[in-house]
Amino acid sequence: MDINYNQKDKTIDIKDGLKSQYFMIKALMILNLVNALLNVSYISEDGIGFMQIIWLILGIVSIVVLYFFFFKKSSQEKIEIKTIERLTEKTVFGSKRMSLKLKNGKSRDLAYLKTSEEISKVKKMLAKIGVPV
């Protein structure tokens, strides 16, 4: 993961490939939703069967995941400093997960920060440029 501060543009440049991963997840969830709609729309004369219920559940899960990725997560690679609210840190299953909370309500995950040196380097850089840590 490569995180750099661009003083000229006052942006943080993040190169981690998260944009392409999010694009693939969104594309697969849209495909899954279309498939679920097609399978649920076919109702035989016997009524709603087990497979229609399964596809209905998969469609609902796809809608929830798409909402999450379109409205709650960001995959920006250039983030202006003025749009960053703060750096958040969570501990999940014993490992630290860092993300940038943006002013538009979204969060930008810093998924590939693994070592404590990388985490402290990012914290120092963000504190230096004025982002609350």
Side-chain angles (χ1 to χ4, degrees), residues 9-23:
D9 298 335
K10 297 206 185 284
T11 60
I12 294 177
D13 299 329
I14 303 171
K15 294 181 181 131
D16 59 357
L18 198 62
K19 191 172 210 160
S20 62
Q21 290 176 11
Y22 279 9
F23 176 75

Side-chain angles (χ1 to χ4, degrees), residues 43-90:
I43 298 175
S44 64
E45 57 272 351
D46 296 336
I48 296 176
F50 180 71
M51 287 307 293
Q52 280 84 18
I53 293 171
I54 295 293
W55 279 110
L56 183 66
I57 292 169
L58 285 173
I60 291 170
V61 168
S62 295
I63 290 171
V64 169
V65 169
L66 282 170
Y67 172 78
F68 185 71
F69 277 99
F70 276 111
F71 298 112
K72 297 295 180 183
K73 291 288 182 183
S74 175
S75 61
Q76 289 179 315
E77 293 179 346
K78 285 191 173 208
I79 304 172
E80 292 184 26
I81 298 300
K82 63 183 178 182
T83 62
I84 300 173
E85 191 174 310
R86 69 179 182 276
L87 177 71
T88 59
E89 184 176 339
K90 294 183 207 173

